[in-house]
Structures are given as structure tokens and as C-alpha cells.
């Protein structure tokens, strides 16, 4: 057990170790962990995991969850105990309205739907959540676009930007005031697009520049860079909106399911 924890965290490894530890603790304390709570704990590891929350921390947290349940004379570990472990809170205890939580669900599901439609199997989805996490985010979607590891061209960039902007566009479609998360997504899209244009030399009027090392770009080329950046973002925005509107029933249905379950895994979607 201790030796395995020296390895790089892995979801499947975590599941195996968690199963072993839950079985042992159940025998020791005479307390059970239901399949729903067990599954929830697995998902919370995925959506809450940061550099400050490694695998050993989450496995050790199981001891705490069982101890709390025993102290409160419960026969089984509950989701409330799990929230204590992760340093988060049950949503009912937060000063956040149910309406605000629903808005987070639309934002996160927007990302998933656009990525799945545009990239298909190239989008490796793990989980999504509307449970506040240690990064001070109200929600999070965990997934990776595999194709970015091998190539990046204008078409893929437009699709990736559409995926990144999906939370913002989803909020616009549902007539939700734009939040800080959506604004940061837009900033990230501009940064990635500018960097790609400067490094790839895709536009002959801009040329090929190292984004971080070469600052000697003429004002004229900077104007062209901004125009080209906004043009690409406009295409991505249009594409994103088209995908969400054409799949609105699926998008809204998924958001409703996330609102109810709080965490959705790959199997759930």
C-alpha cells in the first residue's frame, strides 16, 4: 500500500486502493459505505484533485469519513462525511442560491457538449461537477482533447476555441449574466490564438515570431494580429453557438442531471 502511493496518481489505481481500504474499515468499524457514496468518493477524487490534494491524502481521508460516521452513530458513511474530507461543504450550507448552482451546471455542460460534438472520441472526458472545490471554482469539467497532443492547425484551433468558449456561450443562450469563469475563458482563447498566430506563421502579414522571446513586432503587424485573432474567435463563437442550439435538448437535459446529481462521470453521460 505505502509503496504503491509513491507512484504517480492514477484513477484506476485509486479505485482499487479505495475498494481495499473501504472493505478493511467496514470490518473494523462495523459501518458500511453504500455503492452510491463509494462512487461519489471516486468522482470527487477526479474533480477535486489538485497538486495539493494527492492520492494519499484522499485515501487517508476515508479513515476520517468512517470515524465521523461512527462518532455520529451512523450505520453508513454519508455524502456529508465526504464533503468534510475534501474540505468542501454540502451545497445547502453555502451562501449560494440554487439558481446560481443551476447556472454553473449550464456552464459546465456547455463545455462537455461542444467538445463531444466537435471532437468525438478525441475528447477524453473524465467527470464534471458543480460542487465547489479547493481552487475556489464553483464547478469544473475534467477532460482532454487528444488531438492537441499531435497537431494544431487553423481548423482544430477554431474547434478548440469553441470548446473553451462553450461555458460563456451557454450562459448567453440561457440568458445568464456572464461570470468571472466565462470571462477567464475568453481571455484564455485570446491568449492561445495570438500565440498560435505568432508561432505558426499562418498569416503571411504577421510572420513567424516567438511569442515569449521576440517583442519587436511593428504596430502594423500588431494590428493585423488583433484583427486575425478576433476573426478566428468570431468563427469559433459562431460554431459554438450553432452546436449548442442544434443540441439544446441534450445540453439542457444534461445540465438538469448535473444539478440533481452534483457530479457526473463518463458513464453518466
Amino acid at each position: 500500500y505505502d509503496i504503491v502511493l509513491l507512484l504517480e496518481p492514477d484513477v484506476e489505481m485509486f479505485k482499487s486502493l479505495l475498494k481495499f481500504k473501504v472493505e478493511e474499515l467496514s470490518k473494523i468499524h462495523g459501518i458500511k459505505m453504500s455503492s452510491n457514496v463509494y462512487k461519489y468518493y471516486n468522482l470527487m477524487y477526479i474533480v477535486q484533485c489538485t497538486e495539493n490534494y494527492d492520492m494519499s491524502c484522499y485515501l487517508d481521508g476515508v479513515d476520517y469519513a468512517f470515524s465521523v460516521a461512527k462518532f455520529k452513530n451512523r450505520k453508513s458513511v454519508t455524502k456529508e462525511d465526504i464533503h468534510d474530507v475534501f474540505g468542501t461543504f454540502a451545497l445547502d450550507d453555502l451562501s449560494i442560491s440554487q439558481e446560481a448552482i443551476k447556472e454553473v451546471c449550464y456552464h459546465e455542460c456547455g463545455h462537455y457538449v461542444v467538445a463531444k460534438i466537435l471532437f468525438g472520441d478525441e475528447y477524453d472526458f473524465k467527470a464534471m461537477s458543480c460542487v465547489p472545490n479547493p481552487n475556489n471554482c464553483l464547478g469544473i469539467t475534467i477532460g482532454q482533447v487528444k488531438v492537441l497532443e499531435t497537431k494544431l492547425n487553423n481548423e482544430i484551433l477554431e474547434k478548440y476555441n469553441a470548446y473553451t468558449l462553450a461555458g460563456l456561450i451557454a450562459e448567453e443562450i440561457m440568458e445568464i449574466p456572464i461570470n468571472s469563469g466565462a470571462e477567464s475563458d475568453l481571455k484564455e482563447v485570446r491568449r492561445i490564438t495570438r500565440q498560435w498566430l505568432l508561432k505558426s506563421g499562418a498569416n503571411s502579414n504577421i510572420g513567424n515570431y516567438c511569442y515569449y522571446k521576440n517583442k519587436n513586432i511593428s504596430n502594423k503587424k500588431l494590428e493585423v494580429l488583433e484583427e486575425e485573432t478576433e476573426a478566428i474567435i468570431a468563427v469559433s463563437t459562431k460554431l459554438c453557438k450553432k452546436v449548442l442550439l442544434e443540441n439544446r435538448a441534450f445540453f439542457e437535459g444534461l445540465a438538469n442531471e448535473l444539478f440533481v446529481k452534483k457530479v457526473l462521470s463518463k458513464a453518466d453521460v
Side-chain angles (χ1 to χ4, degrees):
Y1 171 78
D2 291 330
I3 294 176
V4 172
L5 291 181
L6 296 175
L7 302 176
E8 185 177 348
D10 176 85
V11 174
E12 292 304 317
M13 184 190 299
F14 177 79
K15 288 181 180 179
S16 298
L17 291 172
L18 177 62
K19 181 180 180 181
F20 168 77
K21 193 154 192 178
V22 167
E23 289 174 351
E24 291 298 307
L25 289 171
S26 293
K27 293 176 183 177
I28 294 171
H29 296 292
I31 296 173
K32 297 180 179 180
M33 177 182 279
S34 70
S35 59
N36 286 336
V37 175
Y38 175 77
K39 178 182 178 183
Y40 189 72
Y41 200 100
N42 271 302
L43 290 173
M44 289 298 287
Y45 169 70
I46 298 173
V47 301
Q48 301 285 359
C49 191
T50 68
E51 60 183 358
N52 297 320
Y53 286 73
D54 61 21
M55 184 188 291
S56 60
C57 174
Y58 283 90
L59 288 169
D60 291 340
V62 182
D63 292 280
Y64 177 76
F66 271 86
S67 298
V68 170
K70 187 173 183 178
F71 176 77
K72 294 184 178 181
N73 295 317
R74 293 178 180 148
K75 294 182 179 180
S76 62
V77 178
T78 67
K79 288 185 179 181
E80 180 182 346
D81 303 325
I82 304 305
H83 284 290
D84 286 339
V85 172
F86 285 101
T88 60
F89 306 90
L91 291 176
D92 292 341
D93 296 333
L94 292 172
S95 57
I96 177 173
S97 68
Q98 294 299 302
E99 182 181 1
I101 295 171
K102 189 62 176 289
E103 292 173 357
V104 172
C105 293
Y106 286 127
H107 182 104
E108 300 306 331
C109 289
H111 285 302
Y112 171 80
V113 171
V114 172
K116 198 62 183 174
I117 296 298
L118 295 181
F119 292 104
D121 293 337
E122 288 294 325
Y123 178 56
D124 183 20
F125 172 74
K126 300 296 185 183
M128 71 174 81
S129 167
C130 64
V131 178
N133 61 61
N135 287 327
N136 295 318
C137 298
L138 286 178
I140 189 171
T141 299
I142 307 296
Q144 182 179 16
V145 180
K146 298 177 184 177
V147 71
L148 292 181
E149 298 176 359
T150 56
K151 62 179 179 179
L152 180 61
N153 54 38
N154 192 76
E155 181 183 0
I156 293 175
L157 177 65
E158 289 172 352
K159 289 182 178 180
Y160 184 75
N161 282 349
Y163 156 61
T164 307
L165 291 169
L168 185 154
I169 303 302
E171 292 176 8
E172 287 184 359
I173 290 174
M174 301 308 298
E175 299 181 352
I176 298 169
I178 304 302
N179 61 39
S180 58
E183 291 176 352
S184 64
D185 289 342
L186 181 56
K187 289 180 181 178
E188 179 65 6
V189 164
R190 286 200 173 103
R191 184 190 69 79
I192 292 174
T193 304
R194 290 191 189 109
Q195 183 175 341
W196 180 75
L197 285 168
L198 286 168
K199 284 188 173 183
S200 68
N203 188 306
S204 60
N205 292 321
I206 299 174
N208 193 323
Y209 289 83
C210 178
Y211 187 69
Y212 295 106
K213 295 180 180 179
N214 196 328
K215 305 284 186 179
N216 301 319
I217 304 175
S218 68
N219 290 335
K220 180 62 178 178
K221 288 188 176 182
L222 283 175
E223 289 179 9
V224 175
L225 173 64
E226 291 307 304
E227 290 174 0
E228 188 67 15
T229 297
E230 293 306 315
I232 291 175
I233 292 175
V235 172
S236 298
T237 300
K238 185 177 180 180
L239 175 61
C240 178
K241 189 171 293 186
K242 180 177 182 292
V243 170
L244 287 176
L245 289 175
E246 289 180 350
N247 297 274
R248 185 163 185 168
F250 173 50
F251 156 60
E252 291 191 35
L254 192 62
N256 289 331
E257 187 174 359
L258 178 59
F259 180 71
V260 172
K261 294 184 177 180
K262 308 309 179 192
V263 180
L264 294 179
S265 68
K266 190 172 185 177
D268 293 321
V269 298

